[in-house]
Amino acid sequence: MSTRHTSDFLVLGSGIAGLTFALKAAALGTVTIITKKERAESNTNYAQGGIAAVMEETDTIEGHLQDTLIAGAGLCNHEAVTVLVNEGPARINELIAMGAEFTRKADGSLDLGREGGHSRNRIVHAADLTGREVERALLQAVADNPKVTMLE
């Protein structure tokens, strides 16, 4: 016996890219996500480090751009890096609005770390389980959205 599902958008995979696209597409119509395993079983779940973004007033987009291009040793696509560093803060804020709980200092500000290639502390993280926290927040947002169906 087969079951028929109908939706406006079909998303294959439940990692960060698939979940993010599903949430954006849900603003335009119904979405079905098909995942090969359990919904939380993706590479996103195992990402540890953090997400580089300019999140402090004392940091600059230009500084992040230069750090990334230098660390890339000529292998980076300048246009892609420009988009990444310019959109990074907004994407972090979207995740926070969805309920992602990143590590914070006692004063409530983000506890930004520093990783190789960065001249400033700009790594947003959730202890050492950043991928798991991002995926948790995205999965909750998907579960809360009546226009998105997930099929495991």
Side-chain angles (χ1 to χ4, degrees), residues 12-82:
L12 302 177
S14 59
I16 191 171
L19 295 172
T20 301
F21 177 81
L23 290 166
K24 300 281 186 184
L28 303 172
T30 58
V31 181
T32 299
I33 302 170
I34 298 176
T35 183
K36 65 182 178 246
K37 298 181 180 182
E38 294 178 11
R39 61 189 70 214
E41 184 62 33
S42 72
N43 287 329
T44 298
N45 195 41
Y46 300 107
Q48 295 175 318
I51 307 165
V54 174
M55 300 302 293
E56 289 186 329
E57 291 181 19
T58 57
D59 197 1
T60 66
I61 295 294
E62 183 59 32
H64 188 186
L65 177 69
Q66 289 308 311
D67 284 351
T68 304
L69 293 173
I70 291 166
L75 300 175
C76 296
N77 177 298
H78 193 280
E79 185 177 332
V81 174
T82 300

